[in-house]
Amino acid sequence: YEVDDVAVLNSSAYLKRLNAPTAWSQQIIPGIFNMTRTFCRVRASLGGGLGSKMLSIRFSARAGKEASLLSWLHQQMLPSLAATQGIVGVHLLEGDEEASGVTTDETRLRGSPDRIAHLIFLIEGYDDDVLVRLSMDELSPPRFHTNGAEIEMVTGLHRLAHVVTERDLPESP
């Protein structure tokens, strides 16, 4: 979800919804394992439009290497990727552990606490081949590690299925 302020996701109205899961949610949520749910702040964003594909990379900086890792991403990777054919946007997000750590009835249905991502790099595009190549080359785990990231990373390739805007939401009662 995209919100104007992370505080919205800890508002009483939002928490009320999460603490009253629907019957459908109660049925499917117990089958969700290894959940990562992180409220983030956008630290950098280049490009525009909406890509139909997205490469996501969740990672953490090694101790003492956060400044050099963020410098590599901000100064080299963001501008380079934003100018790459097949890419429409590049975004660097930072997880908010405190905001993300709120336990709700939905969390309890999963049976274990949600994992929280420290940093997330999102690359939006329209060309699967470009995103796959990036994940194996410029944005591979060894490249991230060389520039200061922990070895453990989680990478995913996603396809946009549906977009809902504020105009599409029903009026509040």
Side-chain angles (χ1 to χ4, degrees), residues 65-84:
K65 297 291 185 180
E66 186 162 335
S68 62
L69 176 61
L70 292 175
S71 176
W72 171 67
L73 290 168
H74 281 283
Q75 294 175 11
Q76 292 180 20
M77 298 315 300
L78 279 147
S80 170
L81 292 170
T84 300

Side-chain angles (χ1 to χ4, degrees), residues 9 42 138 154 172:
L9 300 171
V42 177
E138 292 101 319
V154 178
S172 298

Side-chain angles (χ1 to χ4, degrees), residues 40-41 43-46 54-60 69-70 72-82 87 89-95 117-124 131 134 138-140 144 153-156 158:
C40 299
R41 288 187 171 72
R43 293 301 181 202
S45 186
L46 293 175
M54 184 176 293
L55 173 64
S56 66
I57 304 169
R58 295 192 323 250
F59 60 102
S60 296
L69 176 61
L70 292 175
W72 171 67
L73 290 168
H74 281 283
Q75 294 175 11
Q76 292 180 20
M77 298 315 300
L78 279 147
S80 170
L81 292 170
I87 303 298
V90 186
H91 319 282
L92 178 61
L93 312 177
E94 182 178 16
H118 178 237
L119 294 163
I120 305 169
F121 203 38
L122 301 174
I123 302 88
E124 284 185 85
L131 294 171
L134 288 170
E138 292 101 319
L139 300 176
S140 67
F144 266 78
M153 292 175 47
V154 178
T155 301
H158 314 277

Side-chain angles (χ1 to χ4, degrees), residues 121-141:
F121 203 38
L122 301 174
I123 302 88
E124 284 185 85
Y126 53 84
D127 187 329
D128 279 340
D129 294 337
V130 170
L131 294 171
V132 169
R133 180 188 55 78
L134 288 170
S135 72
M136 294 188 299
D137 189 15
E138 292 101 319
L139 300 176
S140 67

